């Protein structure tokens, strides 16, 4: 059966989205593939369709529980029954039950990177044929990216232990350096690259500057009163999602809820479901919400706080307009919050004093370490009272040190601590530079789209209408009632927008 016929038969879609077919052809040729398709570009289909042709199961590594749930549900809704999700959310008895199942029955196996570190699951997976090893959101492998997961760095080993099946790495937001990292850390020697544009022409962009947080809050309320829903509002703190959500509710905004990683899994899944099913119009959330979630009719994404890098911003605004509808991304910036992203960068990594303390305590307890397998992570997290992400970071770095030096002992404690500090400084420097790029983007007198594409080493061929606030933006497009097509067609840029465009092109030369 041709790919076109398979597409029609399995999905009912009559044609491929840009780039999809080429990716699938290479996957079916047993090549390793690194693919960038924009947010909503149809990446899931790139492993689903080949899955029906290839022998064996498709193993999909997916970084987030909510994302996994969403994808499993969509596959099931399309009539696919042979799909299973393995993640740490499963109860003990559920895990035991799944471990006794015959995995040969399943075509699509979703798994979290953490579960792939568990020996029993690896053994289980070794008992079946894996036809394709998929790494979704593959940018998580890069330490410079916005969503680094140390467990992603171990995936190449897992792949090898499963007999080295062909692999497919998928992402929507990767600069050249991140693509290089994907290739290196997933150990793909001669992959075929399918790097498409990150641009989303149907998302207009706007940056609004406000002088105080009070003003920002009021502006958010005003926007939510006039914009067509559904929509998402991003915050960088859990407390703020709750506080502002309450403020909005008190001021008459209904069908709104907050979402962050501090909620229980059950609450999170419930809210996500309510939003997906249009029972909620607005979600106030942290970045914990939405990665890869496929809701087609989101009309706006507002950032109440700015993320620390453009990759994250592009990923987050990409949750708008996935069905192709017109949508808008608005970044609200107030002077009072200007230092917040910097603060986040400084606090992402563990405190140097905590690092020194924990390394010393570990060596005191365990003596000379040649690997960290003897260390009970749970026990140590309790003792050293660190956050889980900090612990993961530390144990990854200690392992790196041990790999380099052979062991960690009293004699090498100082070197190990220095090794980790150097790495932390390097990482913070890169992150600061990325934040600077982002800040420049918000202040530059340049088409926003052009600026983003340039950051990803791309050129903007022709800006869509509407494009962005710099090019000139008619907010009526996004308000209460849909504009008719004829109105849209005759709308041109404002004279200010045109002038800015011309001016900017002059500056470019
Ligand atoms: P992403 O690239 O962000 O992972 P998804 O795989 O979630 O995107 O797909 C986004 C949406 O596009 C889904 O609703 C999917 O069904 C739809 N889609 C994928 N391929 C096609 C196609 N060839 N034609 C029409 N819609 C498609
Ligand atoms: Mg996806």
């Amino acid at each position: 059966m041709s790919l076109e016929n398979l597409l029609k038969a399995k999905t009912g879609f009559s044609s491929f989205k840009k780039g999809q077919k080429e990716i699938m052809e290479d996957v079916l040729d047993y090549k390793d593939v690194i693919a960038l398709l924009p947010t909503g570009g149809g990446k899931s289909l790139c492993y689903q369709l080949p899955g029906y042709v290839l022998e064996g199961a498709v193993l999909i590594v997916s970084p987030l529980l909510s994302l996994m749930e969403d994808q499993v549900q969509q596959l099931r809704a399309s009539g696919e029954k042979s799909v299973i999700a393995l993640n740490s959310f499963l109860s003990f008895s559920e895990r035991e039950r799944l471990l006794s199942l015959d995995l040969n029955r399943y075509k699509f196996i979703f798994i979290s990177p953490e579960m792939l570190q568990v020996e029993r699951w690896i053994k289980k997976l070794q008992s079946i044929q894996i036809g394709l090893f998929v790494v979704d959101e593959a940018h998580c492998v890069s330490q410079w990216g916005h969503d680094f997961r140390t467990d992603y760095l171990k995936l190449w080993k897992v792949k090898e232990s499963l007999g080295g099946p062909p692999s497919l790495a998928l992402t929507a937001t990767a600069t050249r350096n991140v693509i290089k990292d994907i290739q290196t850390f997933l150990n793909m020697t001669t992959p075929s690259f399918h790097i498409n544009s990150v641009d989303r022409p149907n998302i207009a962009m706007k940056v609004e500057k406000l002088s105080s947080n009070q003003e920002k809050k009021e502006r958010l309320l005003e926007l939510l009163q006039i914009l067509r829903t559904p929509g998402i509002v991003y915050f960088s703190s859990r407390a703020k999602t709750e506080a502002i959500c309450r403020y909005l509710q008190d001021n008459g905004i209904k069908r709104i809820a907050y979402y962050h990683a501090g909620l229980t899994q059950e609450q999170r899944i419930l809210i996500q479901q309510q939003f997906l099913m249009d029972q909620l119009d607005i979600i106030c959330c942290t970045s914990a919400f939405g990665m890869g979630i496929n809701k087609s009719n989101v009309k706006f994404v507002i950032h109440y706080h700015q993320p620390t890098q453009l990759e994250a911003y592009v990923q987050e605004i990409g949750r708008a307009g996935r069905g192709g509808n017109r949508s808008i991304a608005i970044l609200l910036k107030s002077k009072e919050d200007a230092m917040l992203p910097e603060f986040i960068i400084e606090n992402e990594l563990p405190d140097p004093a905590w690092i020194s303390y924990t390394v010393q305590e570990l060596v005191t307890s365990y003596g000379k370490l040649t690997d960290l397998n003897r260390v009970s992570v749970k026990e140590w997290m309790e003792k050293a009272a660190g956050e889980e992400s900090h612990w993961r970071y530390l144990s990854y770095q200690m392992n790196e040190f041990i790999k380099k030096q052979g062991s960690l002992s009293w004699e090498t404690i100082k070197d190990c601590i220095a090794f980790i500090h150097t790495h932390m400084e390097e990482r913070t420097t890169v992150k600061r530079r990325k934040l600077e790029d982002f800040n420049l983007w918000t202040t530059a007198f340049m088409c926003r789209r052009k600026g983003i594409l340039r950051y990803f080493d791309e050129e903007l061929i022709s800006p869509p209408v509407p494009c962005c606030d710099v090019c000139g933006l008619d907010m009526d497009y996004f308000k209460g009632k849909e504009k008719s097509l004829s109105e849209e067609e005759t709308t041109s840029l404002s004279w200010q927008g045109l002038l800015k465009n011309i001016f900017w092109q002059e500056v470019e030369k």
Side-chain angles (χ1 to χ4, degrees):
M1 200 193 270
S2 71
L3 270 174
E4 276 83 1
N5 288 343
L6 191 64
L7 176 75
K8 188 104 193 86
K10 289 289 178 188
T11 66
F13 300 144
S14 47
S15 60
F16 286 105
K17 287 196 181 195
K18 194 170 173 290
Q20 278 181 324
K21 191 177 177 198
E22 292 78 3
I23 295 169
M24 294 183 204
E25 283 171 341
D26 277 354
V27 169
L28 288 171
D29 245 358
Y30 306 105
K31 289 182 184 154
D32 282 339
V33 177
I34 297 179
L36 186 151
L37 282 179
T39 48
K43 286 183 280 298
S44 312
L45 216 56
C46 295
Y47 58 79
Q48 283 167 13
L49 282 194
Y52 291 112
V53 181
L54 293 169
E55 258 182 58
V58 180
L59 183 70
I60 305 120
V61 184
S62 186
L64 280 185
L65 194 71
S66 50
L67 170 57
M68 206 182 283
E69 289 293 322
D70 190 50
Q71 288 175 340
V72 168
Q73 262 177 25
Q74 275 186 45
L75 263 173
R76 288 204 179 121
S78 74
E80 181 55 60
K81 292 203 180 62
S82 56
V83 43
I84 190 172
L86 312 173
N87 54 53
S88 44
F89 186 39
L90 299 169
S91 68
F92 179 76
S93 58
E94 274 173 320
R95 277 188 222 191
E96 291 304 305
R97 189 180 66 82
L98 293 182
L99 272 164
S100 66
L101 281 181
D102 177 11
L103 282 187
N104 277 307
R105 282 178 25 212
Y106 296 95
K107 186 80 209 174
F108 299 100
I109 304 174
F110 289 84
I111 193 158
S112 63
E114 295 81 19
M115 291 290 263
L116 277 177
Q117 304 308 317
V118 181
E119 199 52 40
R120 285 173 84 195
W121 282 108
I122 297 281
K123 285 236 166 69
K124 186 80 192 161
L125 290 168
Q126 279 168 337
S127 70
I128 61 166
Q129 184 188 352
I130 308 279
L132 180 63
F133 185 88
V134 181
V135 182
D136 203 6
E137 312 290 351
H139 56 269
C140 292
V141 85
S142 171
Q143 318 199 26
W144 320 123
H146 54 99
D147 231 329
F148 174 51
R149 310 282 158 111
T150 44
D151 282 332
Y152 262 59
L153 291 172
K154 301 173 189 154
L155 290 180
W156 68 273
K157 244 192 202 158
V158 174
K159 188 176 69 169
E160 259 173 30
S161 69
L162 296 176
S167 45
L168 167 63
L170 296 166
T171 179
T173 45
T175 55
R176 267 184 213 163
N177 286 339
V178 173
I179 300 261
K180 244 188 261 161
D181 279 355
I182 294 175
Q183 180 180 3
T184 311
F185 293 114
L186 294 180
N187 203 17
M188 296 160 109
T189 34
T190 48
S192 98
F193 292 96
H194 291 271
I195 311 301
N196 293 276
S197 175
V198 300
D199 189 27
R200 293 285 311 279
N202 65 325
I203 304 177
M205 285 177 264
K206 189 169 199 283
V207 178
E208 290 191 20
K209 297 191 182 89
L210 301 137
S211 54
S212 69
N213 283 352
Q214 180 59 29
E215 216 176 87
K216 185 160 76 165
K217 204 160 88 172
E218 284 162 13
R219 177 59 180 155
L220 175 65
L221 174 63
E222 188 184 8
L223 283 169
L224 298 188
Q225 284 162 341
I226 56 172
L227 289 175
R228 265 200 305 277
T229 54
I232 304 174
V233 188
Y234 277 105
F235 297 82
S236 46
S237 94
R238 293 178 185 182
K240 274 282 182 284
T241 65
E242 297 190 18
I244 303 284
C245 183
R246 229 165 274 133
Y247 161 80
L248 295 166
Q249 281 168 332
D250 291 346
N251 283 280
I253 303 288
K254 298 199 181 68
R255 290 164 48 99
I256 182 169
Y258 60 83
Y259 180 109
H260 56 67
L263 302 180
T264 64
Q265 294 284 14
E266 287 83 358
Q267 285 174 313
R268 288 211 259 171
I269 289 179
L270 178 71
I271 290 168
Q272 179 177 316
Q273 282 310 313
Q274 287 180 324
F275 187 61
L276 286 176
M277 301 182 62
D278 290 324
Q279 291 162 356
L280 283 170
D281 293 333
I282 298 160
I283 298 280
C284 295
C285 55
T286 61
S287 61
F289 183 77
M291 188 200 265
I293 283 176
N294 186 36
K295 180 171 171 62
S296 61
N297 62 343
V298 174
K299 307 281 194 321
F300 65 81
V301 172
I302 296 176
H303 278 81
Y304 189 86
H305 293 135
Q306 177 187 330
T308 60
Q309 49 181 268
L310 272 167
E311 281 99 319
Y313 188 66
V314 168
Q315 182 82 240
E316 286 169 6
I317 67 172
R319 281 146 209 166
R322 287 169 72 95
N325 61 295
R326 169 163 299 166
S327 51
I328 184 162
I330 303 172
L331 171 60
L332 300 178
K333 278 197 85 151
S334 80
K335 281 193 197 112
E336 280 176 54
D337 277 343
M339 297 308 285
L340 199 61
E342 245 163 84
F343 177 77
I344 291 169
I345 291 176
E346 301 303 327
N347 283 280
E348 244 172 8
L349 292 177
D351 178 45
W354 179 82
I355 297 247
S356 307
Y357 166 76
T358 310
V359 174
Q360 282 180 37
E361 285 292 303
L362 276 172
V363 178
T364 311
S365 292
Y366 291 89
K368 187 170 166 175
L369 284 162
T370 48
D371 65 55
L372 288 181
N373 286 347
R374 283 195 290 141
V375 178
S376 153
V377 172
K378 202 163 166 269
E379 191 185 312
W380 268 95
M381 272 178 57
E382 277 160 21
K383 266 196 194 170
E387 279 176 36
E388 190 180 340
S389 64
H390 289 174
W391 174 262
R392 275 180 208 277
Y393 178 80
L394 175 63
S395 62
Y396 174 74
Q397 292 300 337
M398 283 171 70
N399 265 323
E400 286 297 290
F401 179 80
I402 292 171
K403 251 194 260 166
K404 237 177 87 189
Q405 301 289 326
S407 68
L408 168 62
S409 60
W410 270 113
E411 291 77 52
T412 52
I413 279 188
K414 265 204 178 136
D415 295 344
C416 179
I417 293 170
F419 171 84
I420 299 175
H421 285 180
T422 309
H423 182 268
M424 289 208 297
E425 264 162 36
E426 197 187 324
R427 185 166 139 162
T428 307
T429 308
V430 175
K431 292 230 160 177
R432 280 203 204 108
R433 203 176 313 134
K434 279 172 175 265
L435 175 59
E436 242 167 67
D437 286 341
F438 196 170
N439 280 333
L440 265 178
W441 177 82
T442 65
T443 50
F445 197 47
M446 176 206 289
C447 164
R448 309 256 180 231
R449 198 170 305 273
K450 194 165 190 160
I452 284 187
L453 291 188
R454 178 171 291 183
Y455 182 77
F456 287 98
D457 306 304
E458 284 185 53
E459 277 301 313
L460 176 62
I461 313 293
S462 65
V465 178
C467 178
C468 67
D469 53 342
V470 179
C471 291
L473 194 58
D474 179 354
M475 283 298 280
D476 283 350
Y477 280 125
F478 313 99
K479 289 184 186 166
K481 199 168 70 67
E482 199 97 31
K483 266 198 176 188
S484 73
L485 201 64
S486 58
E487 267 179 283
E488 274 176 25
E489 278 167 356
T490 52
T491 308
S492 55
L493 295 179
S494 65
W495 66 268
Q496 293 99 328
L498 282 171
L499 200 65
K500 279 180 186 172
N501 254 355
I502 295 165
F503 175 73
W504 197 79
Q505 273 155 14
E506 288 299 322
V507 176
E508 270 259 281
K509 286 175 206 152

